[in-house]
Amino acid sequence: MSGARPDPGCGENIVAGRVNCDRRPLPGLDVCGEVSSALPFESGRFTGIAAIHLLQDLEYGAIAPCLAGPRRILAAGGTLRLAVPDVDRAIDACRQHDAGYFHVGDADARRIGAKFV
């Protein structure tokens, strides 16, 4: 795994050359555990981390705690690459008043536009 970049929350998208991490035991996975606390690497080990399509699957209040694990293992000056889903889909959900599409609860955002994070 030398030089490899962790991919926390990779799901079934196992990519050769990355340290594939997910909370579910999946075939080809390198690390199984919670992203927020169970990444078994020393602090500051990696210069880059890719978390692709991880954040949208979390409840709103779980986002910051989830990023604690990657932050801990990221070296000073390192890069955390985040990717989130299709913005067009989110805009369509907003236009259709589909509050169920968003993971932000009404206690945190009452209006549909406020759920757009």
Side-chain angles (χ1 to χ4, degrees), residues 60 94 102 104-106 108-117:
Y60 180 69
C94 192
F102 302 97
V104 178
D106 289 341
D108 294 307
R110 290 184 186 176
R111 294 179 327 146
I112 192 90
K115 297 176 185 292
F116 200 92
V117 290

Side-chain angles (χ1 to χ4, degrees), residues 2-107:
S2 178
R5 291 184 176 197
D7 185 356
C10 67
E12 296 176 359
N13 187 34
I14 306 296
V15 177
R18 290 190 188 159
V19 183
N20 298 286
C21 311
D22 202 272
R23 66 181 176 181
R24 299 171 296 157
L26 299 166
L29 200 63
D30 299 301
V31 176
C32 184
E34 287 296 328
V35 171
S36 60
S37 59
L39 295 175
F41 307 110
E42 62 270 10
S43 297
R45 174 175 175 186
F46 297 99
T47 58
I49 298 172
I52 310 303
H53 296 282
L54 167 69
L55 300 181
Q56 78 274 3
D57 293 327
L58 303 173
E59 293 295 328
Y60 180 69
I63 293 172
C66 177
L67 292 174
R71 181 176 185 236
R72 180 187 61 78
I73 64 171
L74 189 63
T79 301
L80 174 59
R81 180 177 168 221
L82 300 172
V84 292
D86 185 338
V87 72
D88 288 332
R89 214 170 124 203
I91 290 170
D92 287 344
C94 192
R95 286 181 179 156
Q96 296 168 10
H97 299 281
D98 180 8
Y101 174 83
F102 302 97
H103 291 285
V104 178
D106 289 341

